[in-house]
Amino acid sequence: MAGPAVKTAGGWDARFDALAAGRPDLVLIAPLMLYILLLGLVPMVPREWVPWVIALRGVLPLVLVWRLRAFLPPWGRPHWPIAIVGGAVLAWGWVAGQTLFDDLGLGGRLPLMPGEKEIVDPRLVLGADKFFNTTWALRLLVAVITVPVVEEIFWRGFLLRALVDWNGFEKIPFGKFTWFSFLGTALLSTLQHPDNWAVSILCWMAFNLFFYWTRSLLCLVLMHGMTNLVLYFIVARVGDWGHW
């Protein structure tokens, strides 16, 4: 996790590098927090601004990751066959699992979380025209490129290790297993997917297991991207907007 020597010159860049070098936790948390902040802007802007907000949500967190690249842990090998096959299988498992949990009565909103699960056909809100197609394409790109990067940096790069040793997580090697971190990250993932909470637990367990196996952050980024890609095409094919 050790980054390069901090610049001695003054200025914003030097202060930024000093903060990043001294707070490896913020390096891994900040991109996802920026993404979540931008996610909340969509309901606040006029309809015609939505594509621009989605584009910003996709680009700005990646710019931050690029700026922090010298302070990130090693990405590891891509393990393309594992990433592609594993991602496709997990996408199918997400849909099949959600269908099963719906049948079992466990497919609603996460218990104790306010509100109720509501599935709305986005074409009714955005209109089934070029505007919808543009929005769909942008959301697909963000889900396949940006989301895997910022989420895997946080969940597997930071939290999976932080729940082993919070104050010294950067010393925990990739692949270090404890039941507390394995189950804890899976359960906490429900806060990010409250309307798919049950299947989210299983999916996060699977992602964790693949990470223990490959010990590669890059492989998990690619696998996560493949999962989202296949999942979005399933959504488009069968019209299951619960995953939109």
Side-chain angles (χ1 to χ4, degrees), residues 28 37 52 59 64 72-73 86 113 117 145 201 211 222:
L28 302 177
L37 178 64
W52 294 102
V59 172
L64 180 58
L72 294 172
M113 182 165 281
K117 182 175 181 177
I145 300 174
I201 293 174
F211 189 61
L222 296 172

Side-chain angles (χ1 to χ4, degrees), residues 68-187:
L68 293 168
R69 66 192 183 280
F71 303 94
L72 294 172
W75 288 88
R77 296 172 55 193
H79 298 290
W80 282 104
I82 297 173
I84 293 173
V85 175
V89 170
L90 287 176
W92 173 86
W94 182 281
V95 175
Q98 186 60 43
T99 301
L100 174 61
F101 286 125
D102 285 341
D103 293 340
L104 295 175
L106 299 173
R109 175 64 62 96
L110 179 67
L112 303 180
M113 182 165 281
E116 296 182 359
K117 182 175 181 177
E118 182 180 5
I119 300 176
V120 179
D121 188 331
R123 293 169 296 186
L124 300 178
V125 178
L126 301 174
D129 53 16
K130 291 183 179 179
F131 182 83
F132 171 78
N133 293 332
T134 301
T135 303
W136 168 265
L138 286 170
R139 288 192 61 159
L140 175 63
L141 288 173
V142 172
V144 172
I145 300 174
T146 306
V147 170
V149 172
V150 300
E151 287 195 358
E152 291 306 322
I153 286 174
F154 172 77
W155 287 101
R156 253 61 63 177
F158 169 68
L159 195 59
L160 195 63
R161 295 188 295 159
L163 293 182
V164 176
D165 182 356
W166 190 271
N167 294 319
F169 80 91
E170 69 274 18
K171 299 176 183 178
I172 303 299
F174 287 169
K176 174 69 174 178
F177 175 86
T178 69
W179 281 108
F180 182 72
S181 61
F182 173 69
L183 297 176
T185 51
L187 293 174

Side-chain angles (χ1 to χ4, degrees), residues 38 41 51-61:
L38 295 171
L41 290 179
W52 294 102
V53 173
I54 296 174
L56 286 176
R57 191 171 80 214
V59 172
L60 292 184

